[in-house]
Amino acid sequence: SGRKTELEITLLEGKNREIRRLCEKLGTPVLSLRRTAYGPFRLGTLAPGKWRALDARFCIDLYGSRKYY
């Protein structure tokens, strides 16, 4: 019918291709996937292929110490 549906699915822990397999079992083909976060890292407005440096405060909050950076 040419209809497209957009879903937002949140995984706390995932396996390789878990979303694709889930949708396949539901009879819903997956045309594309987009990761918006990985652990405490959020994509936000970061463009594909770009990166940003982590600031010291984020690293301290993430690791609880200055010794990791």
Side-chain angles (χ1 to χ4, degrees):
S1 67
R3 290 184 7 198
K4 292 183 182 179
T5 302
E6 185 174 316
L7 299 173
E8 181 175 327
I9 299 173
T10 302
L11 291 179
L12 299 180
E13 180 180 324
K15 306 279 189 242
N16 190 31
R17 302 192 186 347
E18 188 168 1
I19 298 296
R20 290 187 187 278
R21 289 186 183 127
L22 171 71
C23 290
E24 183 181 311
K25 288 188 185 272
L26 296 173
T28 304
V30 175
L31 302 178
S32 67
L33 291 173
R34 182 172 51 111
R35 183 188 305 266
T36 59
Y38 186 82
F41 304 99
R42 303 285 176 254
L43 181 62
T45 59
L46 194 63
K50 299 297 180 185
W51 62 276
R52 65 176 166 247
L54 302 178
D55 63 25
R57 182 79 252 157
F58 183 87
C59 292
I60 292 168
D61 290 345
L62 181 62
Y63 295 111
S65 169
R66 290 184 179 269
K67 68 182 181 176
Y68 290 102
Y69 67 96

